[in-house]
Amino acid sequence: MTSATPAHPTPTPTPAHPTPATDAATDATGSAAPVRPRPALDWRIRFAALALIWGFSFLLIKVGTHGFAPFQVTFGRLFFGTAVLAVAMAVRREGLPRSVRTWGHLAVAAFLLNALPFSLFAYAELTIPSTLAGICNATSPLWGMVLSLVALSEDRPTRRRVAGLGLGFLGVLTVLGAWQGFSGLDPTGTAMALLASLSYPIGWIYVRRTLAGSSDSYLSLTGAQLFLATLQLAVVTPLFTTLPTSFPVGPLLAVVVLGALGTGLAILLQYGIVAEVGPTTGQMVTYFIPVIATAAGVTLLGEQLSWNTPVGALIVLLGAALAQSRTRTSRTSHPSRTSRRTAARQP
């Protein structure tokens, strides 16, 4: 996003999904924006809820694929997520973007930040545990940092970032059990999960280059992006799947919750948190997602966990945190630029 998540222009994930956004301090042009009223629910509670929702998303994907094809899971996720944002837009009386150019860029963002990674994760979880999928999602900041050093002129390599990337790469090798020849892992499913994680930062950089100056609101852009991603899946799904002959309750509920909570509500929660406490604190949710995904997969799905999986995940997260860290000067020198780097990140 989010994407989320996202959008997501800074190389930090989540899961998610990823769409253009600014914080409460500045609007899309960097000017002062109106101060929003403080929500009744403390941001820490909303932060914990967001971490749980995105952490459980990988379990919900796995359960959904027990009853439906991966493309159908993704289509349902996007459909119900879009429905939630449509309601939010109606309540806030937000309109859709009017610029044809904006819609064109959002179509590309919808593919890179929603349709493609969501589908890849769904296909990956046919053959790999949800715990591994959640940990692969945590590599997104590492991919993003590598890409941003090449594509974004203001992101310069430093010793700290290079060390973080090296540490993160070591963590990935630990998770995959490289010294055992990657035995016991499905290479195709693992590659799909890693490719999904790579798709997010590609999309973030694209959005950052094309939509950072948009005058449309965050909610308007996000709603349009999810709507376009839903249309993309509506075209693709019938070509590769057949209509389900049954709608088992468990998988159906998993898809509905994945869309309504894990995509729609999560985007609204994340943006609210960023608007209230800033992008630096808001993006910290990234580091809780693989922990929750692992705990959920092991306790509720009975997935096996060897020692190298949690150890490697911890190394990946430490490497990602180190690679993303900035000096105080770089954080404060460009407040308007910093505000544009955060978006709805989704797994």
Side-chain angles (χ1 to χ4, degrees), residues 7-10 19-23 26-31 101-102 105-106 109 152 154 203-218 221 225 335-343:
H8 233 216
T10 194
T19 40
T22 57
D23 61 23
T26 58
D27 63 15
T29 62
S31 305
R101 173 184 173 277
T102 298
H105 290 313
L106 285 175
L152 301 174
E154 67 265 33
W204 306 335
I205 291 173
Y206 178 83
V207 167
R208 185 168 168 180
R209 285 175 170 263
T210 59
L211 290 171
S214 174
S215 59
D216 294 293
S217 72
Y218 164 85
L221 292 170
Q225 180 178 308
S336 62
R337 179 182 298 164
T338 301
S339 69
R340 296 173 194 170
R341 288 181 175 173
T342 300

Side-chain angles (χ1 to χ4, degrees), residues 56-343:
F56 271 85
S57 291
F58 297 95
L59 179 146
L60 294 172
I61 293 171
K62 172 70 78 173
V63 174
T65 57
H66 290 168
F68 304 103
F71 275 138
Q72 293 168 347
V73 172
T74 303
F75 173 74
R77 175 182 189 175
L78 289 168
F79 177 84
F80 290 108
T82 302
V84 170
L85 291 189
V87 171
M89 291 176 66
V91 170
R92 301 181 187 181
R93 297 182 179 179
E94 292 272 2
L96 291 170
R98 296 184 179 182
S99 169
V100 175
R101 173 184 173 277
T102 298
W103 279 95
H105 290 313
L106 285 175
V108 178
F111 174 75
L112 293 173
L113 296 171
N114 302 116
L116 178 61
F118 289 2
S119 299
L120 286 172
F121 273 124
Y123 270 101
E125 291 198 42
L126 291 177
T127 56
I128 67 172
S130 65
T131 54
L132 179 56
I135 292 170
C136 286
N137 180 75
T139 65
S140 214
L142 303 175
W143 295 119
M145 186 58 63
V146 171
L147 292 173
S148 68
L149 292 177
V150 175
L152 301 174
S153 59
E154 67 265 33
D155 285 329
R156 300 297 184 185
T158 64
R159 291 181 180 179
R160 181 180 296 181
R161 292 185 180 184
V162 172
L165 290 173
L167 188 62
F169 181 68
L170 177 62
V172 172
L173 293 179
T174 303
V175 169
L176 300 180
W179 63 92
Q180 305 174 59
F182 307 107
S183 61
L185 293 177
D186 178 72
T188 303
T190 304
M192 284 184 175
L194 291 172
L195 183 59
S197 302
L198 172 61
S199 179
Y200 286 132
I202 294 175
W204 306 335
I205 291 173
Y206 178 83
V207 167
R208 185 168 168 180
R209 285 175 170 263
T210 59
L211 290 171
S214 174
S215 59
D216 294 293
S217 72
Y218 164 85
L219 184 56
S220 174
L221 292 170
T222 306
Q225 180 178 308
L226 283 189
F227 172 69
L228 289 170
T230 305
L231 288 183
Q232 291 169 2
L233 263 294
V235 172
V236 171
T237 301
L239 299 178
F240 294 94
T241 66
T242 57
L243 287 175
T245 56
S246 63
F247 292 85
V249 176
L252 180 60
L253 287 177
V255 172
V256 172
V257 173
L258 179 64
L261 299 186
T263 304
L265 179 62
I267 287 176
L268 298 175
L269 282 174
Q270 205 252 1
Y271 177 62
I273 292 169
V274 169
E276 184 174 345
V277 299
T280 301
T281 301
Q283 72 185 17
M284 291 301 293
V285 70
T286 298
Y287 304 109
F288 293 90
I289 293 173
V291 177
I292 295 171
T294 299
V298 171
T299 58
L300 298 180
L301 295 180
E303 295 177 345
Q304 298 299 313
L305 191 68
S306 56
W307 69 267
N308 58 296
T309 302
V311 170
L314 178 60
I315 297 173
V316 167
L317 293 176
L318 290 174
L322 187 61
Q324 293 179 84
S325 62
R326 288 179 169 83
T327 63
R328 182 177 299 273
T329 300
S330 66
R331 283 189 184 130
T332 58
S333 58
H334 299 289
S336 62
R337 179 182 298 164
T338 301
S339 69
R340 296 173 194 170
R341 288 181 175 173
T342 300

